[in-house]
Amino acid sequence: MANYLLVHGAWHSGACWERVVPLLAAGGHRVFAPSLTGLGDRAALLGPEVGLDTHVDDVVGLILAEDLTDVVLVGHSYAGLVVSAAANQVPERIAQLVYLDAMVPEDGESAADVQPVTRSLIDLALRSESGWRVPPLPELPPPAGLFGVTDPADLAWLRTLLSDQSVRCFQQTVRLDNPALAAVPRTHIHCVVGVPEGVVRRPVAALQPNGTPSQVWELATGHDCMITMPVDLAELLLKLP
């Protein structure tokens, strides 16, 4: 039995994993899909002080509170930074890091460093009336859609899950200075349909930090694959050692 901890990306909520959770749980695994502070069912907690460090504390706090070990820690999109920094704090509890169409940072990098297009969102937020709110990205024509979602029913549901994010989430940097972090196996899952213009995916090195060959899988769908291709995503996650 594994412990799957699914961490959503920017603007989303833990509910976005609704179609994946039962598929993993059916195999007898424990599955956690929390909403990060200030988002989803915790949107009332949003404020300018909420940042990347807040979300890292959310994840580490859950792992410690539940005394989880052998954790398959999945970070989608922005949450690639969150899970990286969380694993840096408790590497002995992490069985696998999964970067799901995610930002993959180096030590000392922010979201804006990993994904430069994010800088424009930061600038807009700083110039806005609030000075810190970052609204969800706009819907684009297919196949990009809204985070890769184009089906009308799925779009209607997704819109109910989205809320503003604090600019501090994109400004704060990750701390990846624990030597034990390098030993944690990594898997990268890339969604390859409808990638918006300006979004850049860093190439994955041939070898993981632990010296073993990198594992990269692709899903022929848009960014929010947990909504558009939940069965295929769950099958990949269940294949992890």
Coordinates of all heavy atoms in Angstrom, one line a residue, residues 149-159:
V149 N -8.6 22.1 -20.9 CA -9.9 21.5 -20.9 C -10.8 22.2 -21.9 O -10.8 23.5 -22.0 CB -10.5 21.7 -19.5 CG1 -12.0 21.2 -19.5 CG2 -9.7 21.0 -18.4
T150 N -11.4 21.5 -22.8 CA -12.3 22.0 -23.9 C -13.7 21.5 -23.9 O -14.6 22.1 -24.4 CB -11.6 21.8 -25.2 OG1 -11.5 20.3 -25.4 CG2 -10.3 22.4 -25.4
D151 N -14.0 20.4 -23.2 CA -15.3 19.8 -23.2 C -16.2 20.8 -22.4 O -15.9 21.2 -21.3 CB -15.3 18.4 -22.5 CG -16.7 17.9 -22.4 OD1 -17.2 17.3 -23.3 OD2 -17.2 18.0 -21.2
P152 N -17.4 21.1 -23.0 CA -18.2 22.1 -22.3 C -18.6 21.8 -20.9 O -18.6 22.6 -20.0 CB -19.5 22.2 -23.2 CG -19.0 21.8 -24.6 CD -17.9 20.8 -24.3
A153 N -19.0 20.5 -20.6 CA -19.4 20.1 -19.3 C -18.2 20.2 -18.3 O -18.3 20.6 -17.2 CB -19.9 18.7 -19.3
D154 N -17.0 19.7 -18.8 CA -15.8 19.8 -18.0 C -15.4 21.2 -17.7 O -14.9 21.6 -16.6 CB -14.7 19.1 -18.7 CG -14.8 17.5 -18.6 OD1 -15.7 17.1 -17.8 OD2 -14.1 16.8 -19.3
L155 N -15.6 22.1 -18.7 CA -15.2 23.5 -18.5 C -16.1 24.2 -17.5 O -15.6 24.9 -16.6 CB -15.4 24.3 -19.9 CG -14.3 24.2 -20.9 CD1 -14.8 24.8 -22.2 CD2 -13.1 25.0 -20.4
A156 N -17.4 23.8 -17.5 CA -18.3 24.4 -16.5 C -17.9 24.0 -15.1 O -18.0 24.8 -14.2 CB -19.7 24.0 -16.8
W157 N -17.5 22.7 -15.0 CA -17.1 22.2 -13.6 C -15.8 22.9 -13.2 O -15.6 23.3 -12.1 CB -17.0 20.7 -13.7 CG -16.5 20.1 -12.4 CD1 -17.0 20.3 -11.2 CD2 -15.4 19.2 -12.3 NE1 -16.3 19.6 -10.2 CE2 -15.3 18.9 -10.9 CE3 -14.4 18.6 -13.1 CZ2 -14.3 18.0 -10.4 CZ3 -13.5 17.8 -12.6 CH2 -13.4 17.5 -11.3
L158 N -14.8 22.9 -14.1 CA -13.5 23.5 -13.8 C -13.6 24.9 -13.3 O -13.0 25.3 -12.4 CB -12.6 23.4 -15.0 CG -11.2 24.1 -14.9 CD1 -10.4 23.5 -13.7 CD2 -10.4 23.9 -16.2
R159 N -14.5 25.7 -14.0 CA -14.7 27.1 -13.6 C -15.1 27.2 -12.1 O -14.8 28.2 -11.5 CB -15.7 27.8 -14.5 CG -15.2 28.0 -15.9 CD -16.1 28.9 -16.7 NE -15.8 28.9 -18.2 CZ -16.4 28.2 -19.1 NH1 -17.5 27.5 -18.8 NH2 -16.0 28.3 -20.4

